[in-house]
Amino acid sequence: MTPHINAQTGDFAETVLMPGDPLRAKYIAETYLENVREVTNVRNVLGFTGEYKGKPLSVMAHGMGMPSISIYAHELINFYGVKQLIRVGSCGGVDEELKLRDLIVATSASTNSAMIRDRFAGYDYAAAPDFELLKACSEAAKELDLSPRFGNILSGDLFYGSNPALLPAMQKMGVLAVEMEAAALFAIAAEFRVKALCVLTVSDHLITAEETSSEERQTSFNQMMELALETAYA
Ligand code: ADE
């Protein structure tokens, strides 16, 4: 047990899918996995282990923001032997070509957080996912006839009240979308030599100010989950 996870050693599979929301973790476990059991529930941050197509797989929520995902990713990797962490979440579109519900796979994550620099002697670390997972994801997308956008995203510290200069800077530098966790996940995975990936759906758009309805979110969520599950299964 750790301060934030009350599972026993061996309760987690080597691959963990991580949505932000604990009830999403429950939904994923109940909808997509077989022989599922709840393995942790500290603070209602739920985690489950089951099987996907006969292969062990876990799903655990990571909460909101980089401090939260950093705690869970650190403990999963260092105390439960987790080797692959795949974040499945939502993001705000920045690129004008993106439409609501589009899928994004992060090939790198910029950030306005100081957390990554803290790990890197004050310099700018290039937070990126694992290449093998990225390749598996690209192949899974072709098999599933999905066309995600692959590119740089930004993991922001603030959902409300970001520096107004940030949006034009993201547009100038070709950042596709903004979310709040991937850069921290990629940096932790790199430090402890495990694999990480981040798959997202566009839930709102920063330029057009459109937002998805809850039904629309569910359809795009199912596509993202199929992509993440097939990537994990590869
Ligand atoms: N996740 C979904 N939409 C977001 C936004 N607009 N900013 C940050 N994270 C998000």
Side-chain angles (χ1 to χ4, degrees), residues 90-92 159 178-180 203-204 206:
S90 61
C91 63
F159 187 87
V178 57
E179 53 81 82
M180 302 186 74
S203 61
D204 53 280
L206 272 62

Side-chain angles (χ1 to χ4, degrees), residues 126-205:
D130 174 74
F131 178 68
E132 294 295 329
L133 274 182
L134 212 45
K135 207 162 78 165
C137 185
S138 166
E139 281 157 18
K142 277 190 208 126
E143 291 286 313
L144 293 165
D145 206 16
L146 297 172
S147 307
R149 288 281 301 276
F150 288 81
N152 184 241
I153 60 166
L154 180 127
S155 303
D157 264 343
L158 291 170
F159 187 87
Y160 297 107
S162 284
N163 184 332
L166 186 57
L167 183 56
M170 290 194 286
Q171 290 179 294
K172 182 180 90 169
M173 298 305 285
V175 171
L176 293 179
V178 57
E179 53 81 82
M180 302 186 74
E181 290 88 13
L185 175 65
F186 295 161
I188 291 172
E191 180 172 345
F192 296 108
R193 306 294 192 273
V194 299
K195 300 179 178 186
L197 186 74
C198 175
V199 185
L200 302 164
T201 58
V202 179
S203 61
D204 53 280
H205 203 291

Side-chain angles (χ1 to χ4, degrees), residues 1-227:
M1 297 223 260
T2 66
H4 307 97
I5 301 178
N6 57 359
Q8 302 301 310
T9 306
D11 271 348
F12 280 95
E14 286 201 347
T15 301
V16 183
L17 301 186
M18 301 195 78
D21 176 356
L23 293 182
R24 269 282 150 93
K26 190 167 195 279
Y27 172 85
I28 293 166
E30 286 171 353
T31 310
Y32 296 102
L33 304 187
E34 280 160 6
N35 304 320
V36 177
R37 62 200 172 93
E38 187 180 294
V39 293
T40 184
N41 57 13
V42 178
R43 292 174 180 240
N44 287 321
V45 176
L46 304 174
F48 302 85
T49 294
E51 288 169 7
Y52 179 69
K53 296 187 177 173
K55 206 170 147 180
L57 190 70
S58 296
V59 47
M60 180 173 177
H62 60 57
M64 282 187 282
M66 286 184 269
S68 181
I69 197 169
S70 299
I71 290 170
Y72 297 111
H74 181 100
E75 293 183 6
L76 287 173
I77 296 165
N78 291 294
F79 300 103
Y80 292 96
V82 170
K83 303 280 184 234
Q84 299 198 117
L85 301 95
I86 303 179
R87 163 162 149 71
V88 283
S90 61
C91 63
V94 173
D95 184 289
E96 298 213 1
E97 310 256 291
L98 278 174
K99 294 186 293 301
L100 294 183
R101 289 174 287 140
D102 279 354
L103 283 172
I104 293 183
V105 180
T107 55
S108 53
S110 303
T111 188
N112 58 359
S113 164
M115 284 182 72
I116 317 303
R117 266 185 252 140
D118 258 7
R119 282 185 197 272
F120 202 55
Y123 295 108
D124 291 325
Y125 179 76
D130 174 74
F131 178 68
E132 294 295 329
L133 274 182
L134 212 45
K135 207 162 78 165
C137 185
S138 166
E139 281 157 18
K142 277 190 208 126
E143 291 286 313
L144 293 165
D145 206 16
L146 297 172
S147 307
R149 288 281 301 276
F150 288 81
N152 184 241
I153 60 166
L154 180 127
S155 303
D157 264 343
L158 291 170
F159 187 87
Y160 297 107
S162 284
N163 184 332
L166 186 57
L167 183 56
M170 290 194 286
Q171 290 179 294
K172 182 180 90 169
M173 298 305 285
V175 171
L176 293 179
V178 57
E179 53 81 82
M180 302 186 74
E181 290 88 13
L185 175 65
F186 295 161
I188 291 172
E191 180 172 345
F192 296 108
R193 306 294 192 273
V194 299
K195 300 179 178 186
L197 186 74
C198 175
V199 185
L200 302 164
T201 58
V202 179
S203 61
D204 53 280
H205 203 291
L206 272 62
I207 310 296
T208 61
E210 292 173 292
E211 284 180 13
T212 40
S213 66
S214 50
E215 291 100 308
E216 286 172 329
R217 273 202 290 276
Q218 197 58 49
T219 319
S220 52
F221 177 80
N222 290 339
Q223 287 185 338
M224 173 175 67
M225 281 317 305
E226 283 174 35
L227 182 57

